[in-house]
Amino acid sequence: MDFFTWCMIAAGFSMALGSLGTGLGMGNAIRSAVEGVARNPGASGKVLTTLMIGLAMIESLAIYVFVVAMIILFANPFTEQVIALAGTVAY
């Protein structure tokens, strides 16, 4: 396999792991918020505000993973070095 194939595999794995982590984090946050509101309905405003801030921070992690995956795929800074090294390797 060549360098670009490995870049696509790495980008796919990074998106998969990043999505898995953020999905689990969001699920746990929502579960805890619902439990908190069920125990104390009067605190629902504070819980909702804190939940939204937390979910935004968790979602930002997924966006960062997506940006890094796009950099790996389309703006890889090591492309020229790898192509130069591949040209000097005898197969």
Side-chain angles (χ1 to χ4, degrees):
M1 290 202 283
D2 64 340
F3 173 71
F4 300 106
T5 305
W6 283 110
C7 286
M8 287 190 278
I9 292 171
F13 275 123
S14 67
M15 285 298 298
L17 290 176
S19 299
L20 174 74
T22 56
L24 290 174
M26 284 183 167
N28 286 335
I30 292 171
R31 182 195 63 193
S32 298
V34 169
E35 287 175 359
V37 170
R39 289 183 186 154
N40 187 4
S44 64
K46 261 187 156 175
V47 170
L48 181 65
T49 302
T50 306
L51 173 69
M52 288 301 155
I53 293 170
L55 288 178
M57 289 184 179
I58 294 170
E59 187 64 29
S60 70
L61 175 64
I63 293 169
Y64 292 145
V65 169
F66 176 71
V67 168
V68 169
M70 292 299 105
I71 289 171
I72 289 172
L73 286 176
F74 298 113
N76 197 331
F78 300 110
T79 302
E80 290 83 19
Q81 288 86 359
V82 170
I83 291 174
L85 286 174
T88 61
V89 176
Y91 291 102

